[in-house]
Amino acid sequence: MKRKFILILFIISNLFSNSLVAFAADLSNGEQIFSANCAACHTGGNNVIMPEKTLKKESLEANKVNTVEAITYQVTNGKNAMPAFGGRLSDTDIEDVANYILTQAEKGWSN
């Protein structure tokens, strides 16, 4: 009985872990990190290097980068012309900026 209870708690915690991460993120810090490190190429959710790969919701979905995990991975490791920020930014800062990007994409990059 105790094993079933623990298993159920584990499953429930995994189901809600993505939403808990979003609540734990510091969006104000994410905005500051974005302004200091990303805005030169991605102001307003755009992309000055590869205009078809924006940070807008539709583009993130089309490129399968529409989760905090996927954005975190790309920010950490870089891709194509985008440099890797792993090692330059802390894991917390990267998670905060990923949550900020996803939140802004959901809002259409309006303040």
Side-chain angles (χ1 to χ4, degrees), residues 8-78:
I8 290 170
L9 283 177
F10 177 75
I11 292 169
I12 290 171
S13 69
N14 282 332
L15 288 174
F16 293 104
S17 67
N18 289 343
S19 61
L20 293 176
V21 169
F23 290 122
D26 182 344
L27 295 180
S28 177
N29 183 52
E31 182 178 16
Q32 290 177 341
I33 297 299
F34 185 88
S35 294
N37 296 278
C38 313
C41 294
H42 294 291
T43 298
N46 295 307
N47 185 331
V48 299
I49 306 297
M50 299 177 79
E52 71 281 1
K53 293 195 174 186
T54 70
L55 301 179
K56 309 267 170 96
K57 183 177 179 179
E58 300 77 22
S59 184
L60 292 176
E61 288 172 351
N63 292 299
K64 296 180 177 32
V65 192
N66 60 332
T67 65
V68 171
E69 294 80 10
I71 296 168
T72 297
Y73 182 85
Q74 188 156 331
V75 171
T76 302
N77 299 295

Side-chain angles (χ1 to χ4, degrees), residues 72-93:
T72 297
Y73 182 85
Q74 188 156 331
V75 171
T76 302
N77 299 295
K79 186 173 182 182
N80 300 322
M82 182 176 156
F85 287 90
R88 289 198 271 177
L89 297 175
S90 72
D91 291 346
T92 301
D93 286 344

Side-chain angles (χ1 to χ4, degrees), residues 89-100:
L89 297 175
S90 72
D91 291 346
T92 301
D93 286 344
I94 291 172
E95 184 177 313
D96 289 346
V97 79
N99 276 280
Y100 172 76

